[in-house]
Amino acid sequence: MPVEVDLNNLPPFPKRIPEKLKAIRERLGMTPDDLAPFVGAKTGAEILAYENDEDDLLVSVMWGYARLAGIPIENILYDDRDLWLGHRQN
């Protein structure tokens, strides 16, 4: 049975993912080339493309960032959450 989705009521697409990815990398003290193999990216150039919002982020790479940083993936996804504290801002 098909599921109907009301496209007018979807949450806004997150805008802060690129800045959060860069913050994670910088907090870990890694270069893009250092980070790439730990998160499943091919190269440092791919990491920079994600951080600069120039390429579509692979879910597997986002999971890699979350796992490496030791944070829930929701903290990367939701714009109203801080990376390490995870609280929602009202």
Side-chain angles (χ1 to χ4, degrees):
M1 173 165 19
V3 176
E4 290 190 34
V5 177
D6 182 1
L7 298 177
N8 294 320
N9 288 321
L10 293 175
F13 192 81
K15 293 180 175 72
R16 295 185 56 216
I17 291 175
E19 78 181 62
K20 289 181 175 186
L21 298 178
K22 185 175 182 179
I24 290 170
R25 180 179 58 77
E26 289 177 344
R27 183 169 182 158
L28 294 171
M30 300 176 91
T31 67
D33 288 324
D34 294 337
L35 181 71
F38 289 100
V39 298
K42 293 180 182 128
T43 65
E46 187 177 339
I47 295 295
L48 288 174
Y50 297 144
E51 291 179 1
N52 293 319
D53 201 17
E54 297 169 347
D55 199 0
D56 293 331
L57 178 64
L58 299 174
V59 172
S60 59
V61 172
M62 186 168 33
W63 275 110
Y65 270 91
R67 187 180 61 248
L68 193 60
I71 60 172
I73 198 164
E74 292 88 349
N75 291 9
I76 298 173
L77 282 172
Y78 297 124
D79 285 344
D80 62 348
R81 288 194 181 188
D82 179 75
L83 278 173
W84 287 275
L85 298 177
H87 63 280
R88 288 189 174 268
Q89 301 168 352
N90 294 328

